[in-house]
Amino acid sequence: MLEERGSEEPTMNPFQKNESKETLFLPVSTEEVPPQSSNFPKKPSPKICGSNYPLSIVFIVVNEFCERFSYYGMKAVLTLYFLYYLHWSEDTSTSVYHAFSSLCYFTPILGAAIADSWLGKFKTIIYLSLVYVLGHVIKSISALPILGGQNLHIVLSMVGLSLIALGTGGIKPCVAAFGGDQFEEKHAEERTRYFSVFYLSINAGSLISTFVTPMLRGDVQCFGKDCYALAFGVPGLLMLIALVVFAMGSKLYRKPPPEGNILNQVVKCIWPILSSSSLQKQLIMDVKALTRVLFLYIPLPMFWALLDQQGSRWTLQATRMNGNLGFFMLQPDQIQVLNPFLIVIFIPLFDLVIYRLVSKCGINFTSLRKMAVGMILACLGFAVAAAIEIKINEMATCQPDSQEIFLKVLNLADDEVKVTVLGDENNTLLAESIKSFQNMPHYSKLHLKTKSQNFHFQLKYHNVSVYTEHSMEEKMWYTLIIREDGGSISSMMVKDEENKTTNGMTAMRFVNTLHEEVNVSLSTDASFIVDEDYCVSHYPVDILLLLTDFSLNLGLLDFGAAYLFVITNRTNQGPQAWKMEYIPANKMSVAWQLPQYALVTAGEVMFSVTGLEFSYSQAPSSMKSVLQAAWLLTIAFGNIIVLIVAQFSGLAQWAEFIFFSCLMLVVCLIFSIMGYYYVPLKPEDVQGSTDKQIPQIHGNMINLETKKTRL
């Protein structure tokens, strides 16, 4: 390739006018440097079906599809893994999620340095892919309940995520560029189309994995719980396939050698550059062009701070919504599939329709204006998310405050019972007549004088009064279960641990009124025993069950609700289940998240694609790799912003969405002002730095470049 470029350069005309008489020779180094042998195959690599596309790119594209499936599939279930498996809070889960995302965009700098200075792209991809696979294996092991306790799971999880971040970030700057290396210079058009297919493979991997892995987590049960080990294991298997496929094409690849220690070369060239006014001037021009673009990068992390919350805050919002779409039950973490799905639709829609219509209207829709509009769309998306969060809170059950408790009475006796709750001074706090097996729709609120208090209950049944006492603590939910005991009645107080269902799914609890224990088998291999004589089970999360020697029809269960089932044998038809809804179902459909996803994804298309295009058009060719690294760093810093806000703001979720929306609007105004005063470079100015070549060293020979000659 270098030889082809050299042969195409025009020869010097010694009789050219307006040239200086001075001839300047620039020595680069006096050290002996052995010549580097190229790993490019001497013969042209095989082509696909007689076309100009190298066969080697098939292995690279398949590798990228599997790797993106691996990364996005694992990341789709990561937030719920933190929340429900490691039992972290929502803020901690969000913070660790974005810390991992940030690390994934810091490590590309390390990967690029290793590839360019030491191993080359091919070996860097191979070695870091091994690290990648190892990270997936450790991450899958961390989701096995039978292995150790929670502390071990946390340690293994953090080690696995660190290795995954090193692997995915390290190969990120290498794979696409390595694919471009497979093309000869004369096949530039085919190389451009290759990058389109490469980008399509990224979105295809993301789209499929974001849809499939939440199903592996929620629809498959492992050890009686959601199968996070399988949801992490399948992406790990895809990464192993990616590594094997990439290695299979080894003999077909064109493997450019590493260019040496770039930093060392720059340091060695400082003095020669300073001794040449012409080179120094060109370098200064290139650096100035770079810094002008980097200055525009300062507000960009705020956009990524909003965009990347689809996998954290928006997923947590989906757990409080109804995923039943009628024809399909959508998992809370499955809603993220909207982003890659809409990207595939929006990119051609914007390029072929919207941008052309805007152009025909005579509007100069520059790249910076497109990016500003993308920021506004993201701002609107979070405003919609805040409105939905407020509506969810309005529809949710109220929570008890300090020195308050919520109480519900469950009458399992054969006849009506009058319940009176008495205070310390025998004053009546609550009086209700409850029929047998009456479904009480609401909890009653009782006020406490201290953090915990004893309450006296008077139960009147068939003109017989029974007095009992129960201690209750503030901010808790309780159920008073009344049962018949011979001709009289007795009661037991049951604490409802929390007023929310796990993972937004349906939860159940059982009361066994039979005189023998009942072995309840769920729709998986897991089972539990409910002891005889009014023992109460905990909340298992599932919706189908079988009982030993007989089955029960539980009827239709709503998404996100919590039910209490009383197993009775009051008729000659055998044991039956009486159902009472403890926690109302999620009434708001998850489909209401579609507008916010559409707005943010449209903003991503206008911001991300246009931003890269603008940056490359404004940077000298010698600085494009630096610019790519800077672009990835803006994503890393955007995730750090979310980490800080989630950990230290203390805002309610709806207020946090509004905060991000307002902050995005302010940043958009700042960016618009910066863009207004930005003067775009002309293409000839950007390409000016490519006209002069940096001297090369071959063996013991020093290239001497003639700078100014006039006869």
Side-chain angles (χ1 to χ4, degrees):
M1 292 172 62
L2 294 176
E3 290 77 12
E4 291 176 1
R5 281 186 178 179
S7 62
E8 293 175 359
E9 293 181 358
T11 57
M12 181 181 296
N13 183 358
F15 299 99
Q16 213 166 10
K17 294 184 179 181
N18 299 327
E19 295 288 347
S20 170
K21 184 179 180 179
E22 179 183 2
T23 301
L24 177 65
F25 297 95
L26 177 64
V28 177
S29 176
T30 58
E31 297 180 3
E32 182 176 340
V33 182
Q36 294 180 342
S37 60
S38 174
N39 290 331
F40 285 7
K42 296 181 179 179
K43 296 182 180 180
S45 59
K47 301 295 190 295
I48 301 176
C49 300
S51 66
N52 292 326
Y53 293 95
L55 182 61
S56 56
I57 66 170
V58 174
F59 298 93
I60 297 174
V61 170
V62 174
N63 165 270
E64 183 66 12
F65 168 82
C66 295
E67 189 275 329
R68 290 291 87 184
F69 185 107
S70 166
Y71 175 73
Y72 285 109
M74 178 278 304
K75 198 176 178 183
V77 300
L78 193 57
T79 299
L80 297 188
Y81 168 80
F82 292 150
L83 186 65
Y84 298 122
Y85 190 88
L86 298 183
H87 304 292
W88 288 349
S89 66
E90 291 190 358
D91 289 339
T92 302
S93 301
T94 300
S95 299
V96 177
Y97 174 89
H98 287 282
F100 166 72
S101 299
S102 178
L103 186 60
C104 289
Y105 287 98
F106 278 118
T107 51
I109 299 176
L110 177 62
I114 293 174
D116 290 340
S117 305
W118 181 23
L119 296 177
K121 298 184 185 72
F122 175 76
K123 289 184 178 179
T124 300
I125 296 172
I126 290 292
Y127 293 155
L128 290 183
S129 293
L130 290 172
V131 175
Y132 203 161
V133 173
L134 178 62
H136 272 295
V137 172
I138 296 176
K139 190 72 190 74
S140 301
I141 294 175
S142 72
L144 293 174
I146 60 174
L147 184 65
Q150 184 179 12
N151 291 335
L152 179 61
H153 292 161
I154 293 175
V155 171
L156 291 176
S157 180
M158 295 302 102
V159 172
L161 289 177
S162 299
L163 294 177
I164 291 173
L166 176 60
T168 185
I171 68 176
K172 190 184 294 291
C174 301
V175 178
F178 187 70
D181 291 340
Q182 308 308 306
F183 292 84
E184 302 175 27
E185 286 299 316
K186 60 184 178 181
H187 298 146
E189 183 178 351
E190 286 79 3
R191 181 167 53 196
T192 301
R193 293 175 182 172
Y194 152 76
F195 281 114
S196 298
V197 176
F198 186 86
Y199 186 74
L200 180 62
S201 69
I202 294 175
N203 284 279
S206 172
L207 177 66
I208 297 175
S209 65
T210 309
F211 183 79
V212 171
T213 52
M215 297 176 65
L216 298 177
R217 174 197 60 77
D219 295 346
V220 180
Q221 296 288 304
C222 298
F223 308 101
K225 299 180 180 180
D226 285 354
C227 198
Y228 288 100
L230 181 63
F232 291 138
V234 171
L237 177 61
L238 264 292
M239 188 58 224
L240 179 61
I241 295 174
L243 173 59
V244 172
V245 169
F246 183 77
M248 288 172 59
S250 176
K251 295 183 179 180
L252 301 176
Y253 296 140
R254 297 162 57 93
K255 304 173 185 176
E259 299 176 2
N261 193 317
I262 303 300
L263 180 60
N264 188 34
Q265 291 183 17
V266 170
V267 172
K268 285 184 177 182
C269 291
I270 289 178
W271 175 251
I273 288 175
L274 293 177
S275 65
S276 171
S277 59
S278 60
L279 275 179
Q280 183 184 7
K281 180 179 179 181
Q282 185 58 57
L283 177 63
I284 293 175
M285 291 178 61
D286 288 355
V287 173
K288 282 185 176 180
L290 175 68
T291 54
R292 293 171 76 249
V293 179
L294 292 181
F295 179 70
L296 289 175
Y297 277 13
I298 294 176
L300 303 192
M302 196 64 235
F303 178 85
W304 303 114
L306 273 66
L307 182 69
D308 282 356
Q309 291 189 57
Q310 296 174 85
S312 57
R313 292 302 200 191
W314 287 13
T315 299
L316 295 175
Q317 185 185 68
T319 63
R320 299 185 291 272
M321 304 178 75
N322 193 336
N324 188 357
L325 302 179
F327 59 92
F328 184 76
M329 184 66 72
L330 200 66
Q331 302 285 349
D333 42 359
Q334 213 169 19
I335 190 66
Q336 301 174 59
V337 77
L338 284 176
N339 179 255
F341 177 75
L342 291 174
I343 284 178
V344 174
I345 296 175
F346 282 170
I347 287 181
L349 176 65
F350 276 77
D351 287 340
L352 301 178
V353 180
I354 296 178
Y355 290 157
R356 292 186 180 184
L357 290 176
V358 172
S359 178
K360 287 184 178 181
C361 294
I363 300 176
N364 184 18
F365 207 23
T366 63
S367 296
L368 293 179
R369 290 178 180 175
K370 291 177 183 177
M371 295 176 68
V373 173
M375 291 180 175
I376 294 175
L377 291 175
C379 171
L380 294 175
F382 265 69
V384 173
I388 291 177
E389 188 69 22
I390 292 173
K391 189 64 177 178
I392 292 174
N393 292 339
E394 291 177 354
M395 301 173 67
T397 306
C398 297
Q399 301 293 324
D401 294 329
S402 298
Q403 296 186 359
E404 288 183 353
I405 59 100
F406 284 174
L407 176 67
K408 179 179 286 191
V409 180
L410 176 60
N411 180 14
L412 302 183
D414 290 335
D415 204 349
E416 182 179 84
V417 176
K418 183 178 180 180
V419 180
T420 304
V421 182
L422 303 175
D424 292 338
E425 301 176 357
N426 289 328
N427 55 317
T428 301
L429 302 178
L430 176 68
E432 289 184 308
S433 294
I434 303 172
K435 297 180 180 179
S436 176
F437 286 84
Q438 180 179 345
N439 194 343
M440 302 296 293
H442 303 291
Y443 281 85
S444 299
K445 182 189 297 185
L446 296 178
H447 294 275
L448 285 70
K449 294 182 179 180
T450 58
K451 291 184 177 181
S452 63
Q453 181 178 333
N454 291 331
F455 286 91
H456 302 276
F457 293 82
Q458 179 186 8
L459 309 178
K460 191 173 183 179
Y461 178 70
H462 292 167
N463 296 324
V464 176
S465 294
V466 176
Y467 292 88
T468 184
E469 180 179 336
H470 297 286
S471 177
M472 290 181 281
E473 300 175 357
E474 66 175 357
K475 297 182 179 180
M476 298 301 297
W477 302 69
Y478 292 93
T479 298
L480 180 68
I481 298 179
I482 301 173
R483 59 180 183 177
E484 190 169 1
D485 189 6
S488 183
I489 57 174
S490 61
S491 65
M492 57 186 295
M493 186 68 71
V494 178
K495 181 187 294 185
D496 301 333
E497 295 181 358
E498 56 183 15
N499 176 284
K500 61 180 180 180
T501 57
T502 304
N503 202 13
M505 301 298 290
T506 302
M508 298 180 298
R509 200 172 196 177
F510 298 90
V511 177
N512 180 17
T513 66
L514 306 180
H515 297 297
E516 58 181 346
E517 68 178 24
V518 175
N519 189 343
V520 180
S521 299
L522 304 178
S523 57
T524 64
D525 295 333
S527 62
F528 58 93
I529 295 176
V530 185
D531 291 333
E532 68 274 12
D533 295 330
Y534 295 89
C535 280
V536 183
S537 71
H538 295 290
Y539 273 117
V541 181
D542 207 287
I543 60 172
L544 299 175
L545 80 163
L546 297 173
L547 282 80
T548 304
D549 298 332
F550 59 89
S551 61
L552 295 177
N553 181 13
L554 302 184
L556 180 63
L557 305 181
D558 290 331
F559 189 89
Y563 296 95
L564 176 69
F565 292 96
V566 180
I567 303 173
T568 64
N569 190 10
R570 304 172 63 194
T571 64
N572 296 327
Q573 299 178 357
Q576 295 179 340
W578 177 77
K579 178 175 66 176
M580 182 178 71
E581 186 178 81
Y582 258 66
I583 303 173
N586 299 332
K587 302 299 182 183
M588 194 166 192
S589 173
V590 75
W592 282 103
Q593 281 194 326
L594 177 60
Q596 65 197 56
Y597 270 94
L599 287 169
V600 167
T601 305
E604 180 184 2
V605 171
M606 299 189 71
F607 179 90
S608 180
V609 178
T610 307
L612 279 174
E613 177 188 353
F614 169 78
S615 302
Y616 273 69
S617 68
Q618 296 296 295
S621 59
S622 61
M623 301 292 177
K624 293 188 185 297
S625 59
V626 179
L627 203 65
Q628 175 67 15
W631 180 268
L632 296 177
L633 284 178
T634 63
I635 304 176
F637 285 114
N639 281 275
I640 291 178
I641 293 174
V642 184
L643 186 157
I644 294 173
V645 173
Q647 199 66 29
F648 302 107
S649 69
L651 296 173
Q653 190 56 70
W654 65 269
E656 185 178 294
F657 285 153
I658 293 178
F659 171 76
F660 275 109
S661 181
C662 295
L663 199 57
M664 184 75 262
L665 183 60
V666 173
V667 170
C668 179
L669 293 175
I670 296 174
F671 178 78
S672 300
I673 295 173
M674 296 167 61
Y676 179 79
Y677 289 102
Y678 179 83
V679 180
L681 292 178
K682 298 179 181 179
E684 54 267 23
D685 296 334
V686 178
Q687 297 173 359
S689 61
T690 62
D691 296 337
K692 298 180 180 179
Q693 301 294 328
I694 296 177
Q696 302 291 330
I697 300 173
H698 299 282
N700 298 328
M701 301 299 296
I702 301 175
N703 267 357
L704 304 178
E705 183 175 355
T706 303
K707 291 299 175 189
K708 297 181 181 179
T709 304
R710 186 175 69 181
L711 181 61

